[in-house]
Amino acid sequence: MEGTTKTPLEDFIELYSHIKDKFAELPTVLTKLSSYSDDIVKENSDLKFKLKEIENKFTKIKTEYETKDNSVEEALKEANQYKTKLESVENQMKGLREMYEEMAQERAEDIEIQDLLAIYTILFEKVFAANPHTKILLLLQGVDKEEWTRDELVKTTGFSPAAIIKSLHDLRNSGIVETDDSATKVKLIKKLA
């Protein structure tokens, strides 16, 4: 014999003899394999479905993000525009506030001067005009006559001689008029221009 070459039938018989005991289990194994294959196909189908759902959710979230991102950018632009307008209005208000404060200060000064003049007017009309001092000074200031006698002042002002003497002494002590020793003659020291 030239070698041990086997025929295909012999190979099959030899192989079959080794596995014939296991061959009876083959239908069970094939059933399990088929069931396992069906499970894998179902799981694969489920995974594809879930992947599609996740892709849809991702697309939706991405679209929402882009929309919100655009909305945020638009809101920021709008906020910046309002901020610029607000700064402009604040600058205008600052200018108006400064102008108002200046006007209020000037008005306060005007009011103070007006109030002061009103007080002086009331004092002059109600207090000093009734006072012999004021009438004597007005006569001495308003008339070109340089020297007056006490009797002329009594007749012109309408005050008593005692009130005129007292007023002349007060005006002399204040350095406004000059009088002789008996205060019978009076002269204004300096006339107002």
Side-chain angles (χ1 to χ4, degrees):
M1 272 198 157
E2 286 182 354
T4 58
T5 308
K6 295 183 187 176
T7 64
L9 186 57
E10 291 172 336
D11 282 342
F12 177 73
I13 292 172
E14 185 182 330
L15 183 61
Y16 182 73
S17 63
H18 286 297
I19 61 165
K20 80 176 174 184
D21 295 335
K22 302 279 186 184
F23 193 70
E25 296 176 12
L26 187 60
T28 309
V29 171
L30 285 175
T31 304
K32 286 182 181 177
L33 182 63
S34 176
S35 177
Y36 180 72
S37 174
D38 288 345
D39 288 346
I40 289 177
V41 168
K42 185 178 181 304
E43 187 177 345
N44 188 22
S45 177
D46 289 346
L47 289 174
K48 282 182 180 177
F49 180 75
K50 286 182 180 177
L51 179 64
K52 188 69 176 169
E53 280 184 338
I54 289 172
E55 285 176 348
N56 289 341
K57 282 184 181 178
F58 175 75
T59 304
K60 183 180 175 185
I61 290 171
K62 184 178 177 186
T63 304
E64 288 176 1
Y65 171 76
E66 288 172 354
T67 304
K68 288 183 180 178
D69 191 41
N70 288 339
S71 297
V72 168
E73 286 179 15
E74 289 174 11
L76 285 173
K77 285 179 185 176
E78 194 174 335
N80 285 335
Q81 288 174 348
Y82 284 125
K83 183 179 176 185
T84 304
K85 288 179 183 177
L86 179 63
E87 288 172 354
S88 172
V89 169
E90 284 178 349
N91 287 337
Q92 291 175 357
M93 291 299 292
K94 182 180 176 187
L96 288 174
R97 187 172 38 250
E98 289 172 357
M99 193 167 60
Y100 172 77
E101 287 173 358
E102 288 175 11
M103 288 173 50
Q105 191 174 18
E106 288 176 9
R107 177 78 177 133
E109 288 175 6
D110 288 346
I111 290 173
E112 288 174 11
I113 290 170
Q114 288 175 352
D115 290 343
L116 189 61
L117 285 173
I119 290 170
Y120 283 145
T121 303
I122 290 170
L123 284 173
F124 186 75
E125 289 175 355
K126 304 291 182 187
V127 178
F128 298 129
N131 187 328
H133 297 78
T134 307
K135 287 199 175 184
I136 292 169
L137 282 176
L138 287 173
L139 280 173
L140 294 173
Q141 282 288 341
V143 181
D144 287 335
K145 188 174 180 181
E146 260 190 56
E147 194 173 87
W148 286 71
T149 65
R150 183 176 53 209
D151 292 334
E152 290 172 329
L153 292 174
V154 169
K155 289 177 186 172
T156 308
T157 62
F159 288 104
S160 68
I164 295 293
I165 290 173
K166 181 185 178 324
S167 299
L168 289 176
H169 285 291
D170 291 341
L171 292 170
R172 183 192 63 202
N173 293 342
S174 298
I176 298 174
V177 296
E178 292 177 351
T179 62
D180 58 0
D181 291 336
S182 61
T184 53
K185 293 185 181 177
V186 64
K187 179 180 174 184
L188 190 62
I189 293 176
K190 181 177 180 187
K191 280 196 175 197
L192 298 175

